[in-house]
Amino acid sequence: MTKIRPDELAPRLDGDDPFLLDIRPAEKYRHGHIDGSHNVPVYDDLRAGDDDALERRLDEIPRDREVVTVCKMGFVAKRATRVLDENGYEAVTLAGGMSGWRGYQNGSLGYRLRSLVWKLF
């Protein structure tokens, strides 16, 4: 599995405790994040193609837990997931990123439609 939907992640936050890696800039993280997540603000670097930015900070990420990468919409987090996979981590991307998470929490129509598409593909 390379991604996890918000509705799949939510029940796991109380149980098997994946490590939530929020890669968004610190300012965005401060304005809202998933409880228990850890901010390693490499979003802009990864978006610009600098994978080394995350590789330089791997010591902040535990190797003994599944890592769920989080960004704004999930696109840049996919890159983070790939970098982590290449470095021996078990990692997945939060589908829809924080936008998807907020939609899930709010039960928005947009989230329900996206969730249906995610389940089909």
Side-chain angles (χ1 to χ4, degrees):
M1 173 184 354
T2 60
K3 67 180 177 181
I4 186 169
R5 296 185 319 265
D7 63 312
E8 295 171 319
L9 176 62
R12 293 187 56 205
L13 295 179
D14 293 329
D16 57 3
D17 198 27
F19 183 82
L20 301 178
L21 176 64
D22 191 320
I23 63 167
R24 295 175 303 141
E27 182 69 19
K28 299 287 185 189
Y29 181 81
R30 279 192 296 274
H31 286 305
H33 56 271
I34 301 171
D35 288 343
S37 64
H38 304 272
N39 186 224
V40 177
V42 294
Y43 177 89
D44 292 330
D45 298 311
L46 290 173
R47 190 167 172 236
D50 180 10
D51 294 350
D52 292 339
L54 179 56
E55 290 177 348
R56 286 188 297 272
R57 300 194 62 177
L58 291 178
D59 61 332
E60 299 175 45
I61 305 165
R63 291 187 175 272
D64 61 344
R65 293 164 62 190
E66 178 185 35
V67 178
V68 178
T69 61
V70 180
C71 71
K72 179 181 175 183
M73 299 287 293
F75 299 113
V76 179
K78 286 181 187 178
R79 186 176 196 116
T81 297
R82 183 185 50 76
V83 169
L84 291 169
D85 283 341
E86 290 171 355
N87 282 278
Y89 288 82
E90 180 184 341
V92 295
T93 304
L94 178 61
M98 280 304 295
S99 176
W101 182 257
R102 287 184 185 113
Y104 165 73
Q105 288 188 315
N106 297 331
S108 72
L109 177 60
Y111 172 78
R112 291 192 306 253
L113 292 173
R114 274 189 295 194
S115 183
L116 179 60
V117 170
W118 293 330
K119 288 176 184 177
L120 294 174
F121 299 99

